[in-house]
Amino acid sequence: MTLQTETPKRIVPPRTAPRPSPLVRAAVPPIAPGALPGLGHAAALLRDPLGFLGSLARHGGVVRIRLGPRTVCVVTDARLVHTLLVALAHDCPRGAVQDTLKTAFGDGLLMSEGQAHRDRRRIIQPAFGPDRMGAYLAVMHQVTEERAGRWRPGQVLDVAKEMNHLALEIVTRSLFDARLSEDATLAFHRALPDLVKGQIVQSLYPTPALARLPLPVNRRFATAVRALNRVVDQAVNRPTAATRSADGTGSAGGTGSAGGADLAGGRGTLPALLRAATDPATGRPLTEADVRSEAITMFGAGTETVSTTLTWLLDELLRHPEVEARLLAELDEHLPDGSVPTPEALARLDYTRSVTQEVVRLHAPNAFLMRTARVPVELGPYRIPAGTELLYSLTALHRDPVRHPDPLAFRPERWQDGGGVGRPSFLPFGAGKHKCIGEAFAWAELTVAAAAILRRWRPVAVPGARAREVVWTTVQAQGLRVRLAPREQRTADGDRAPGGERTPRGTGATPSSDQPAPPGGCPFTAAPAPVPPRALAERPLAARPLAVRPLPARPRGELRTAADRHADWVLRHGLLAPAELPGYRAYALHELIGHAFPRTRGAELDLLVDVLGWFTILDDRFDGTPGRRPAEAHALVDPLIAVLDGAEAQPPHGPLLHAWRELWDRQCAAMSPAWRARAAREWRACLATFPAEADHRARGTVPALGLAETMRLRRHGSCLYPFMNILERVHGADAPAALHAEPALHRLRANTADAATLINDLYSLEREERQSAAAFNTVLTLQRARGCTRNRAVRAVRDRVVRLRQENEGLRRELRRRHPAGRWYLDGTRELVAGVQAWTSTSDRYQVPDGGRLR
């Protein structure tokens, strides 16, 4: 919500003369290179606004650019922007961008300056007082619940459009205690693009007279202004809910706040506050034009930027499911499902706040804002003459790599434990006397709306329909379309049930199904219940169930206890910070071990969970720069491989290496030299895939890889071979040496690793399609190597899994006949594959979204 208004901080008194600072010794800002004759830098600014503005920081803290005949100074240093907005606020009032809106909507809070601005702010401030926040939260929650309750499973949403409607409704019902008609809502959203485009174009005119010409952009701007005024009039002039109830004119459906804000019969609404006030300059009541001016400010600033941020928030969570899992875990803990949020509950959502802060940092909605120096001023070491226009971009400032390392990476953890950057470097709501009056309202709206949506729905990105930046005066998020699937909610006994329905133990949902499964199907312990052929045909191929043999039931409490011991082990070794633990635990790795090793108990169960958890944490490290830089990959992996060779660890000893030495010793305890050699060989092959994949990514050869090379990397990189060796460790004895000598067993082991890998590829496909780094996924490889459609590639991989399983059953029968003493080992390889599927189809880490029919 970018309501650029003042705060109760100290007001800088007006000055009748410039300060006696030594301006003559200050520097003239350098001019940016690349200006074109006649156009200056206008072409570069229009072609890539954020890229161009971000590039200027290398030339200085203030840099001159030419926009046709005009010279504008761009402030690129966050500290200097803070100085501009705070210390120089009086000497540098708002510039051409805001002046365009002032002409259209009057001298309201967003456009006014000086004493007029201070007076108007004092009138409006009570509407955003802390005593109102509880009521506003209730309205925000109710509005979002009502809107999300109208959505349906499988429905495809245009997220930007839907979030615009949601934000507009929240503002209307919170501040105005009214509802807009559907026609008015549509008119508002149709008018906004033309208003924004006209605002930026008119601000760049070399003379204001051009705004009066009948140019198409000017005509559309004028039409948008009229449309927005009509919409605002509808909200401002309609009776409040309490008034309608008193005089009997309320409709059956109701049009007021209904369920949240007690606005004292309408006396506490924003229009009521304005109409009850007097203008300190004249002593007269504010005019209806004044009321409309402030209302349009709230509608415009409180709708577009919040809805855009909500859209980016959903897009980032789609790209980072581990962040979403951790956020949901925090909501489960501090904001019980269905409860109305309170200020105290929001204050406990530390990680959620970090996520929203990171979204606002990375996607700051203000592409550029302007000020004008009305007197000569000093800005840091630079001399700024009177009349100079000063431009700054919050988006570019928040992506400054000096102040925000790895600025384009979405990293909520940068805000944890006091790690967030200081105030002068993070200015999403401005600073100084024009700082956003609705900052607390906006943060609360982001949190409450996101929580209500994510607790009810699991958005699934429609392929090829991700959010993209469209830059005007704001950085809009356009193009994101998602398909909705019900979110599983916690039941009273701790299980999860789709869409909040209570699911008895022993029943569940088939992989990626939109609806609860019929009784009798459990993805954890049994084959899915029968599905009608037509319903099965309508599911995405990657989400259709693969046959799973029943696994023995296991007490759930034992696995949860093992998970708790593993969490303590992870923290003790420093593998994760405490703040990272909720998101990591959402992966439910102990469930995978429970499925794949159903007879394992005690210390052996702990070993399996610890090994899998350690490997998962290692694997996640390669989602970062080690996955793209071979040297970093080798630096991480080579010391781990050296442990297998018996070499002493060389300093420095990191947490991964220290934990790995302990795990290797635990694996090898009481095992034969032959087993140690075999296990070391398989772990070496597994770990070596990380630098190999990094090398492919660095050289750009991933798209050229054939199916055979991809399968080789995937087969060994999945850690299935090491876990087949651990089958013997947890059994307490080596499998018969004669069995290990059988070529048929080598074939069965390869098939086992391939089947588990291909199942993983099916369920992780949509996640890996969204990755910025190239993914080693067999489905994607088939599409590239054979030029087939995604649907055909998915079908081919599924068919391959079926054939591998069928072949393995024949191999097991043959091997059991010749080596009956090794039956436990042969059955264990089957349970591994079944366990991988059961977990992969339900885990937050690899759950495949329901994207509808694949094309």
Side-chain angles (χ1 to χ4, degrees):
M1 192 167 186
T2 54
L3 308 180
Q4 297 298 314
T5 61
E6 68 178 358
T7 66
K9 295 184 183 294
R10 180 178 63 87
I11 302 299
V12 179
R15 292 191 301 275
T16 57
R19 292 171 295 175
S21 56
L23 294 178
V24 294
R25 294 199 297 271
V28 176
I31 189 163
L36 299 176
L39 295 176
H41 301 91
L45 179 62
L46 294 174
R47 182 172 58 250
D48 181 13
L50 298 182
F52 174 70
L53 293 173
S55 71
L56 298 178
R58 69 174 69 106
H59 303 296
V62 179
V63 181
R64 287 179 295 153
I65 64 171
R66 300 192 188 282
L67 302 177
R70 298 162 59 186
T71 297
V72 175
C73 284
V74 180
V75 188
T76 67
D77 185 278
R79 292 171 300 180
L80 296 184
V81 171
H82 192 268
T83 299
L84 175 66
L85 300 181
V86 180
L88 299 179
H90 174 74
D91 292 334
C92 299
R94 294 185 176 103
V97 175
Q98 286 90 338
D99 286 345
T100 302
L101 293 182
K102 182 176 179 179
T103 302
F105 297 115
D107 197 13
L109 190 64
L110 184 62
M111 285 70 73
S112 60
E113 293 286 348
Q115 188 62 44
H117 176 84
R118 291 193 290 275
D119 291 341
R120 192 61 58 85
R121 181 193 178 281
R122 292 192 185 101
I123 294 172
I124 295 175
Q125 180 62 60
F128 294 96
D131 58 315
R132 297 292 185 92
M133 190 52 65
Y136 288 157
L137 293 177
V139 176
M140 294 170 186
H141 176 72
Q142 180 177 349
V143 170
T144 311
E145 287 285 348
E146 289 175 359
R147 191 156 200 94
R150 294 194 290 268
W151 302 340
R152 292 293 176 264
Q155 179 181 350
V156 174
L157 290 185
D158 181 329
V159 177
K161 178 180 178 181
E162 197 68 20
M163 294 304 102
N164 263 313
H165 283 264
L166 173 62
L168 178 62
E169 191 172 357
I170 287 175
V171 168
T172 305
R173 290 171 62 177
S174 297
L175 299 180
F176 297 87
D177 190 26
R179 290 190 182 184
L180 295 176
S181 67
E182 187 65 23
D183 288 344
T185 300
L186 293 175
F188 182 89
H189 292 302
R190 282 196 296 264
L192 272 182
D194 288 333
L195 181 79
V196 172
K197 294 174 186 177
Q199 179 189 11
I200 187 172
V201 171
Q202 291 188 12
S203 69
L204 294 176
Y205 284 156
T207 172
L210 291 176
R212 296 190 290 271
L213 296 179
L215 301 174
V217 66
N218 294 339
R219 292 200 303 270
R220 289 192 294 269
F221 179 78
T223 301
V225 169
R226 289 193 296 271
L228 290 176
N229 276 319
R230 286 194 297 269
V231 171
V232 170
D233 285 342
Q234 183 183 128
V236 168
N237 296 324
R238 293 184 73 171
T240 65
T243 302
R244 285 189 297 274
S245 298
D247 64 14
T249 59
S251 63
T255 57
S257 58
D262 177 8
L263 297 175
R267 291 189 297 275
T269 65
L270 181 63
L273 286 173
L274 293 168
R275 289 178 175 131
T278 57
D279 186 340
T282 64
R284 298 173 181 172
L286 299 183
T287 67
E288 285 302 305
D290 292 329
V291 175
R292 182 190 295 112
S293 178
E294 302 306 344
I296 195 66
T297 295
M298 301 301 164
F299 273 106
T303 298
E304 183 185 12
T305 53
V306 171
S307 66
T308 297
T309 303
L310 277 170
T311 303
W312 283 121
L313 172 61
L314 293 178
D315 187 74
E316 290 295 348
L317 293 180
L318 287 170
R319 298 177 191 272
H320 301 86
E322 71 284 357
V323 173
E324 181 189 46
R326 184 172 170 186
L327 184 149
L328 286 168
E330 184 176 72
L331 293 177
D332 280 342
E333 181 179 359
H334 297 299
L335 197 62
D337 187 34
S339 63
V340 176
T342 64
E344 294 75 20
L346 295 191
R348 292 191 291 269
L349 300 177
D350 293 333
Y351 186 71
T352 303
R353 187 179 307 109
S354 296
V355 171
T356 55
Q357 284 178 306
E358 181 68 351
V359 172
V360 171
R361 181 201 67 80
L362 182 55
H363 302 289
N366 296 109
F368 60 87
L369 296 166
M370 297 184 76
R371 296 288 186 268
T372 301
R374 65 181 185 86
V375 296
V377 295
E378 282 183 350
L379 193 53
Y382 302 102
R383 181 175 72 249
I384 308 298
T388 301
E389 292 180 290
L390 295 147
L391 181 150
Y392 62 96
S393 168
L394 293 183
T395 314
L397 291 175
H398 290 175
R399 296 179 182 180
D400 182 356
V402 174
R403 302 193 178 275
H404 305 274
D406 199 7
L408 298 183
F410 182 72
R411 288 171 41 202
E413 63 271 14
R414 73 172 83 230
W415 300 95
Q416 295 285 295
D417 301 323
V421 291
R423 195 71 179 157
S425 298
F426 185 58
L427 304 167
F429 296 92
K433 67 177 185 175
H434 289 291
K435 185 168 177 270
C436 175
I437 196 173
E439 178 177 6
F441 186 99
W443 284 122
E445 183 179 357
L446 287 172
T447 303
V448 172
I453 292 170
L454 293 170
R455 297 291 288 274
R456 182 185 288 261
W457 296 105
R458 177 168 55 85
V460 178
V462 174
R466 303 309 306 269
R468 65 183 186 278
E469 290 183 339
V470 177
V471 181
W472 290 99
T473 52
T474 58
V475 184
Q476 301 173 11
Q478 294 186 6
L480 178 62
R481 295 169 63 240
V482 300
R483 190 179 301 277
L484 297 172
R487 174 76 64 184
E488 292 184 343
Q489 304 292 347
R490 288 284 179 189
T491 63
D493 59 3
D495 289 336
R496 298 192 75 87
E501 299 292 334
R502 184 176 177 83
T503 302
R505 295 189 188 277
T507 66
T510 55
S512 299
S513 173
D514 275 347
Q515 304 296 335
C522 177
F524 295 135
T525 61
V531 182
R534 180 175 179 180
L536 182 62
E538 291 175 353
R539 289 186 185 166
L541 285 175
R544 296 182 194 172
L546 296 162
V548 183
R549 285 179 175 266
L551 297 176
R554 152 195 301 279
R556 292 179 62 89
E558 184 174 10
L559 284 177
R560 285 197 295 269
T561 302
D564 292 339
R565 290 195 298 266
H566 173 65
D568 292 339
W569 182 85
V570 166
L571 293 177
R572 187 167 65 252
H573 283 278
L575 294 171
L576 293 175
E580 297 173 299
L581 201 59
Y584 172 77
R585 294 194 68 161
Y587 293 163
L589 298 176
H590 60 287
E591 294 280 3
L592 171 53
I593 296 302
H595 306 324
F597 297 85
R599 284 166 291 278
T600 306
R601 302 288 189 269
E604 309 305 330
L605 179 62
D606 289 345
L607 171 63
L608 288 165
V609 177
D610 290 347
V611 170
L612 179 60
W614 175 87
F615 184 82
T616 301
I617 293 169
L618 173 68
D619 184 69
D620 284 349
R621 290 285 298 274
F622 287 87
D623 289 340
T625 55
R628 302 184 296 275
R629 298 174 183 173
E632 289 187 28
H634 278 290
L636 195 57
V637 166
D638 288 352
L640 305 175
I641 293 177
V643 171
L644 302 171
D645 298 328
E648 288 295 324
Q650 299 298 317
H653 298 164
L656 278 168
L657 180 58
H658 182 267
W660 174 237
R661 292 188 66 84
E662 183 209 329
L663 285 175
W664 180 239
D665 290 340
R666 285 164 64 189
Q667 291 176 71
C668 295
M671 296 305 291
S672 68
W675 185 92
R676 290 175 61 105
R678 185 167 60 249
R681 182 171 65 250
E682 302 296 0
W683 272 118
R684 193 178 296 110
C686 173
L687 296 172
T689 61
F690 289 109
E693 290 181 358
D695 184 64
H696 281 298
R697 291 192 184 101
R699 293 188 289 114
T701 55
V702 179
L705 286 182
L707 185 61
E709 177 64 6
T710 298
M711 281 305 304
R712 185 190 69 79
L713 288 170
R714 298 287 289 120
R715 176 186 299 146
H716 290 284
S718 64
C719 83
L720 260 293
Y721 274 106
F723 270 92
M724 282 187 278
N725 295 326
I726 297 178
L727 276 170
E728 298 169 272
R729 170 66 180 83
V730 299
H731 184 72
D734 290 16
L739 176 61
H740 273 296
E742 286 274 4
L745 182 68
H746 298 171
R747 178 71 174 173
L748 183 142
R749 282 164 56 94
N751 287 353
T752 299
D754 287 353
T757 296
L758 294 175
I759 289 170
N760 180 283
D761 285 355
L762 287 170
Y763 282 94
S764 64
L765 174 60
E766 291 188 7
R767 176 188 176 189
E768 293 181 342
E769 285 175 328
R770 298 195 297 265
Q771 289 182 183
S772 57
F776 291 81
N777 185 291
T778 314
V779 178
L780 300 178
T781 302
L782 277 174
Q783 289 179 261
R784 294 190 299 260
R786 299 184 181 176
C788 56
T789 64
R790 183 178 187 267
N791 199 10
R792 289 184 61 189
V794 168
R795 191 182 302 277
V797 171
R798 288 178 55 85
D799 291 344
R800 178 62 176 162
V801 172
V802 172
R803 289 195 299 273
L804 289 170
R805 282 179 159 176
Q806 291 172 344
E807 182 181 357
N808 270 7
E809 287 306 309
L811 292 169
R812 286 190 186 96
R813 286 193 297 270
E814 176 185 353
L815 290 168
R816 277 199 301 264
R817 181 176 55 82
R818 293 205 294 268
H819 307 280
R823 178 169 185 153
W824 60 268
Y825 181 89
L826 301 171
D827 290 344
T829 60
R830 180 198 295 117
E831 290 168 347
L832 263 176
V833 176
V836 166
Q837 184 193 327
W839 175 80
T840 305
S841 64
T842 55
S843 169
D844 286 345
R845 180 175 174 84
Y846 290 120
Q847 191 171 22
V848 171
D850 187 315
R853 297 293 301 274
L854 301 180
R855 296 284 184 254

